[in-house]
Amino acid sequence: QGQLVESGGGLVQPGGSLRLSCAASGMFIGIITMAWYRQAPGKQRELVASINSGSITDYLWSVKGRFAISRDNAVNTLYLQMYNLKPEDTAVYFCNTARESLPWGQGTQVTVSS
């Protein structure tokens, strides 16, 4: 089965930026729809962004215009570029297929606070 390792999170002030990475192994992400998810404490996990094999993207309404999902098929890595971060973006961010078909990784913590 595939393995996913997220990285790139951290503590930033409101308005800051971060770039998250998801290194995948055991499967080729270029032929499936991949997604970023996030989960805040006490809340359910939600889908943030997705990208399909044709590079068509979709976003949670609240992050449109601020987040950009992309992938590099050559290194089998998914990315999430985040701009103008808000406190409401604070969560643990995970990657997976759009069908959530792989085991969840550890995620990477994003904290937006002044």
Side-chain angles (χ1 to χ4, degrees):
Q1 61 182 0
Q3 182 177 356
L4 303 167
V5 180
E6 300 92 345
S7 63
L11 173 63
V12 297
Q13 293 187 333
S17 301
L18 284 172
R19 190 192 194 199
L20 308 183
S21 297
C22 170
S25 60
M27 80 291 184
F28 180 46
I29 66 170
I31 61 172
I32 53 177
T33 302
M34 296 295 297
W36 283 97
Y37 302 81
R38 67 186 182 188
Q39 186 169 27
K43 297 183 178 180
Q44 290 191 310
R45 183 175 56 247
E46 63 181 350
L47 190 147
V48 177
S50 65
I51 181 168
N52 71 8
S53 60
S55 296
I56 302 299
T57 59
D58 194 23
Y59 297 91
L60 182 69
W61 180 256
S62 62
V63 309
K64 285 184 176 180
R66 298 190 297 117
F67 290 10
I69 187 171
S70 63
R71 64 173 181 259
D72 187 338
N73 291 343
V75 294
N76 214 33
T77 300
L78 184 73
Y79 303 98
L80 185 67
Q81 180 67 58
M82 305 184 294
Y83 302 98
N84 192 24
L85 284 160
K86 302 177 179 181
E88 307 91 89
D89 297 318
T90 296
V92 179
Y93 284 70
F94 303 88
C95 60
N96 211 317
T97 71
R99 292 184 178 271
E100 304 177 30
S101 60
L102 298 176
W104 295 100
Q106 293 297 115
T108 186
Q109 176 72 50
V110 172
T111 302
V112 185
S113 177
S114 60

